[in-house]
Amino acid sequence: MFGLKGKSLLTLHDFTPEQIGYLLDLAAELKAKKRMGVKGNLLAGKNVALIFEKPSTRTRCAFTVACNDEGAFPEYLGKDDIQLGHKESVADTARVLGRFFDAIEFRGFSQEVVTDLAKYSGVPVYNGLTDLYHPTQILADLLTMKEHLGTLKGKKFVFVGDGRFNMANSLLIGCAKMGVDIVVLAPEALWPDKNHVAVCEGYAKESGSKVTITSDIESVKGADVIYTDVWFSMGEEEKAKERIALLQPYQVNSEMMQKTGNPNVLFMHCLPAVKGYEVTEEVFESKQSVVFDEAENRMHTIKAVMVATLS
Ligand code: CP
Ligand code: NVA
């Protein structure tokens, strides 16, 4: 459907708005099916390798449960279980895994590794997070926004925090492609790469949305969604002190939520959250917070990706 069979999800750059829209609709259908307690066999007989160089709760469990729900078998391969890129080249591991498995998920540091896995394995590869992108997270975020806001087009989405890492990069692509006005609100030192922004501005032009990069906190005015992520990502722990100093004024707190002027503004976060840093406990636990709907949707959207690309 929509040219998705056999396709890898390495970055949302490679997906059209129609393909993204189809995955969101399929995820909603699969979610309704699961809610009715119906077990399926859409992935029966498939074997899926789950490679994790970095830790994970949501992504790992989403892939595992999604496989189990639809009859596939997931095999977890942690960083000490295989030699990927150390004693064996990525290309060689990819060619071996491609002979055993129907698909491969990879979470790690380098986007190049996930790209090479796809290039050499010959099976669909899913990016479960790299330093550059986190595309499966964005599908869950868009589904959650659709559920709570009704539509995506014309909504105002503000990402607050570290604007130059996987979450901001991927949200820029996903929002711009789907017609959501996106603001990346960050201190200038943490703004996204200019070339990346230019590409996303191109997507926004096509969808009729807007991309804004700013350090002005007043830009939260009129937001439908305030979204944040950790101030130092996995692998960046040594930057903690510097980031806390830079990002303290950008904490999502009640004052910022009020500044939006929208009493129904949603709070979103990919999780895990470090409460007291990027978000206060009060906002995290508030009625506007939809973080656990968002976490649940990781599973339904990841299931949709596997069903669309494998069955
Ligand atoms: N949001 C997310 O990717 O969570 P995990 O790191 O727990 O997989
Ligand atoms: N930016 C975060 C996202 C976690 C889901 C990280 O890379 O650690």
Side-chain angles (χ1 to χ4, degrees):
M1 188 70 80
F2 290 96
L4 290 168
K5 193 161 166 62
K7 192 170 169 67
S8 289
L9 174 49
L10 307 178
T11 159
L12 287 175
H13 280 308
D14 305 335
F15 283 64
T16 64
E18 292 69 32
Q19 287 174 326
I20 296 171
Y22 171 74
L23 288 172
L24 299 181
D25 291 345
L26 178 59
E29 259 177 52
L30 292 167
K31 181 172 182 174
K33 177 173 154 186
K34 172 128 176 147
R35 287 279 157 90
M36 288 190 296
V38 183
K39 279 265 176 189
N41 58 3
L42 295 168
L43 298 171
K46 305 291 181 192
N47 289 289
V48 183
L50 307 179
I51 305 176
F52 282 84
E53 278 182 347
K54 290 179 177 177
S56 166
T57 301
R58 280 144 289 267
T59 310
R60 175 182 177 175
C61 297
F63 272 99
T64 304
V65 173
C67 282
N68 286 331
D69 280 353
E70 290 295 339
F73 177 82
E75 175 70 1
Y76 178 79
L77 300 166
K79 72 172 173 20
D80 298 322
D81 297 329
I82 54 172
Q83 307 280 8
L84 184 76
H86 304 295
K87 215 169 168 186
E88 185 170 57
S89 71
V90 174
D92 289 356
T93 300
R95 284 179 288 181
V96 173
L97 294 182
R99 303 235 178 169
F100 287 85
F101 290 95
D102 299 286
I104 301 167
E105 177 277 351
F106 172 80
R107 164 172 290 200
F109 295 88
S110 161
Q111 184 70 18
E112 206 183 327
V113 171
V114 80
T115 305
D116 281 351
L117 283 171
K119 183 169 162 196
Y120 294 105
S121 67
V123 297
V125 171
Y126 314 122
N127 179 353
L129 178 147
T130 61
D131 289 354
L132 199 59
Y133 300 123
H134 194 7
T136 63
Q137 177 70 50
I138 281 42
L139 296 176
D141 298 341
L142 292 170
L143 179 62
T144 309
M145 285 163 65
K146 259 185 104 171
E147 289 172 344
H148 285 272
L149 301 172
T151 55
L152 295 175
K153 277 213 184 295
K155 297 297 177 189
K156 177 170 175 178
F157 180 100
V158 182
F159 176 88
V160 192
D162 178 5
R164 35 103 264 156
F165 215 63
N166 45 25
M167 283 312 307
N169 287 342
S170 307
L171 285 165
L172 273 166
I173 308 172
C175 287
K177 286 200 175 199
M178 300 310 283
V180 178
D181 291 343
I182 177 163
V183 176
V184 174
L185 170 57
E188 219 169 316
L190 299 175
W191 280 6
D193 175 74
K194 280 200 176 73
N195 295 327
H196 182 63
V197 173
V199 171
C200 293
E201 280 169 345
Y203 300 147
K205 206 167 164 200
E206 301 237 318
S207 73
S209 67
K210 248 187 356 217
V211 172
T212 309
I213 314 297
T214 179
S215 54
D216 180 4
I217 292 175
E218 296 304 316
S219 66
V220 299
K221 192 129 208 75
D224 294 291
V225 178
I226 298 285
Y227 194 115
T228 191
D229 180 19
V230 288
W231 284 349
F232 35 97
S233 287
M234 287 180 272
E236 296 200 308
E237 288 72 16
E238 84 288 353
K239 301 250 194 265
K241 229 171 136 187
E242 173 192 324
R243 290 286 165 70
I244 294 165
L246 261 174
L247 286 164
Q248 197 64 56
Y250 296 87
Q251 182 188 61
V252 180
N253 50 33
S254 302
E255 197 191 330
M256 183 182 280
M257 295 294 274
Q258 269 160 26
K259 221 184 242 299
T260 63
N262 175 5
N264 300 316
V265 60
L266 301 178
F267 171 70
M268 295 179 69
H269 192 308
C270 53
L271 305 183
V274 187
K275 285 167 258 178
Y277 284 176
E278 72 270 12
V279 60
T280 57
E281 180 92 32
E282 194 185 358
V283 170
F284 188 90
E285 296 295 344
S286 68
K287 272 215 225 56
Q288 288 135 294
S289 172
V290 293
V291 295
F292 295 109
D293 291 341
E294 197 183 347
E296 179 190 332
N297 283 339
R298 297 298 311 287
M299 202 279 286
H300 305 300
T301 44
I302 279 173
K303 192 187 281 176
V305 170
M306 289 195 287
V307 167
T309 56
L310 294 180
S311 71

